[in-house]
Amino acid sequence: MANRFKPDLTWADATPEHVFLNRRAFMAGAVAAGGIAGNAVAAVPFEEDEKPNAWEEITQYNNFYEFGTGKGDPAEYAEALTTDPWEIEIGGLVDKPGTYSFKDIMKEMTVEERIYRFRCVEAWSMIIPWNGFELADLLNLAGVQDGAKYVAFETLVRPEEMWGQQRNYIDWPYREGLRLDEAMHPLTIMATGLYGKPMPNQNGAPIRLVVPWKYGFKSIKSIVKITLTDEQPQTSWNMLQPSEYGFYSNVNPEVDHPRWSQASERRVGGGLLARRVPTLMFNGYEEEVSGLYEGLNLAKNF
Ligand code: MTE
């Protein structure tokens, strides 16, 4: 793929100098299966007009139902969340089950910058410069046992800080899950920051999942529990409305939501000039991930 990376358009001014990051940033194409090893530096093949969304857009327009259902609620209320200390319980089919502190995890991980498209099932989208590490590195730290087929994730339950949890529009905790091969895919990251800064609470501090080829609700925030299982785990939106939200939830312009089209999306930003752009198969990561779904009927397994 042609390299259209334009350094002047991207990071020089945006990333605080004191933050050291291994600059491996990429979008579609750069990590073509097996193409890029370890800590190689990859380019960012931007479309000319595909600039990352502004910090304000990424942090003021959110879905985080633990803090309310309005797009502005997380920015308004998530400050109440205590994110230090933070622990993640890793269990199930792993060699080293236990409680891992966020700080200890971070000592073992290499944080990288990843610029990904982010496509919400509600048909809005952004381009987000995440900082994080590959989920596979964390799972390998715990040691995945033979027989593990899925990974289940849970968000913190703390209604005194997350007022939305005092309502029952979701059966808390917020839950998500991936097939093990999806979880181990190099595009799947645990994000711990944005624009080189620690993750804002409203975006899922201190650590959240990002699976860029799936609808945004799979990217569960503020994770406290990870369980390796041999059975497909329950997931919040699927529990709420199975006919509308499948387990896979891969971005697919050809499979509409029962109540709206998924063929295009509204790129957040630009006010009245906000653009509608066509939605890409697997959100533009088809080359990297379609192999995971060979032989699967994507309309049935939506
Ligand atoms: N995780 C939790 N715990 N609670 C939520 O309500 N919302 C999901 C996902 N992760 C959600 C969550 C949805 S619907 C989307 S689109 C993304 O988070 C939004 O992420 P952002 O606010 O960082 O853009």
Side-chain angles (χ1 to χ4, degrees):
M1 183 175 289
N3 174 6
R4 282 168 284 157
F5 183 42
K6 295 261 174 42
D8 54 324
L9 274 182
T10 56
W11 309 119
D13 302 318
T15 306
E17 275 176 9
H18 66 275
V19 180
F20 172 79
L21 292 167
N22 175 1
R23 290 181 170 275
R24 185 167 61 153
F26 50 89
M27 291 175 64
V31 74
I36 290 167
N39 40 21
V41 175
V44 184
F46 276 122
E47 296 300 323
E48 287 301 315
D49 55 354
E50 279 203 310
K51 280 195 289 178
N53 279 87
W55 171 265
E56 290 69 27
E57 290 158 355
I58 300 169
T59 61
Q60 306 289 316
Y61 188 92
N62 301 97
N63 278 333
F64 199 167
Y65 280 27
E66 284 83 341
F67 297 102
T69 55
K71 293 285 179 282
D73 287 342
E76 189 167 352
Y77 301 112
E79 219 177 299
L81 180 65
T82 310
T83 59
D84 183 15
W86 193 270
E87 289 175 337
I88 303 181
E89 186 190 329
I90 306 184
L93 298 168
V94 291
D95 297 332
K96 289 175 273 178
T99 303
Y100 292 70
S101 84
F102 176 63
K103 286 195 177 113
D104 287 346
I105 290 171
M106 293 310 278
K107 281 181 206 149
E108 302 291 326
M109 298 293 139
T110 306
V111 172
E112 307 167 9
E113 188 170 66
R114 299 271 181 112
I115 304 159
Y116 284 158
R117 293 182 203 88
F118 189 86
R119 167 58 157 89
C120 179
V121 73
E122 298 163 336
W124 53 265
S125 64
M126 298 199 205
I127 294 176
I128 306 187
W130 304 105
N131 309 112
F133 54 83
E134 291 180 12
L135 172 60
D137 291 341
L138 179 60
L139 297 181
N140 288 333
L141 190 73
V144 178
Q145 294 183 341
D146 290 349
K149 295 196 184 94
Y150 295 91
V151 188
F153 304 85
E154 287 182 16
T155 295
L156 176 74
V157 178
R158 197 183 283 158
E160 62 278 20
E161 291 184 358
M162 302 168 118
W163 72 262
Q165 288 183 335
Q166 295 167 19
R167 315 278 162 89
N168 59 2
Y169 41 74
I170 284 178
D171 180 10
W172 313 106
Y174 193 99
R175 285 163 251 220
E176 260 309 333
L178 296 172
R179 242 172 37 191
L180 183 62
D181 57 349
E182 298 174 324
M184 298 300 269
H185 193 281
L187 285 177
T188 303
I189 60 166
M190 293 292 269
T192 56
L194 276 179
Y195 271 107
K197 298 180 190 163
M199 189 66 78
N201 284 6
Q202 59 265 41
N203 293 87
I207 185 163
R208 56 95 53 92
L209 184 70
V210 176
V211 193
W213 71 93
K214 292 180 179 282
Y215 291 119
F217 66 84
K218 299 292 289 183
S219 292
I220 178 173
K221 297 176 167 182
S222 304
I223 294 167
V224 291
K225 191 169 177 189
I226 299 178
T227 312
L228 280 285
T229 70
D230 57 1
E231 277 180 23
Q232 185 173 304
Q234 285 205 306
T235 59
S236 288
W237 287 97
N238 184 251
M239 288 161 72
L240 272 172
Q241 199 46 272
S243 61
E244 299 190 356
Y245 307 102
F247 175 77
Y248 283 97
S249 293
N250 293 315
V251 175
N252 188 338
E254 286 156 26
V255 177
D256 287 338
H257 186 281
R259 291 182 281 129
W260 58 85
S261 163
Q262 295 291 27
S264 69
E265 62 205 52
R266 177 178 58 87
R267 205 33 78 70
V268 170
L272 291 172
L273 298 174
R275 289 176 303 139
R276 256 204 117 78
V277 294
T279 289
L280 304 173
M281 188 64 200
F282 294 111
N283 205 21
Y285 302 98
E286 183 170 15
E287 202 181 317
E288 291 86 350
V289 303
S290 60
L292 296 172
Y293 308 105
E294 252 160 48
L296 199 71
N297 180 329
L298 295 174
K300 278 195 186 139
N301 299 278
F302 60 91

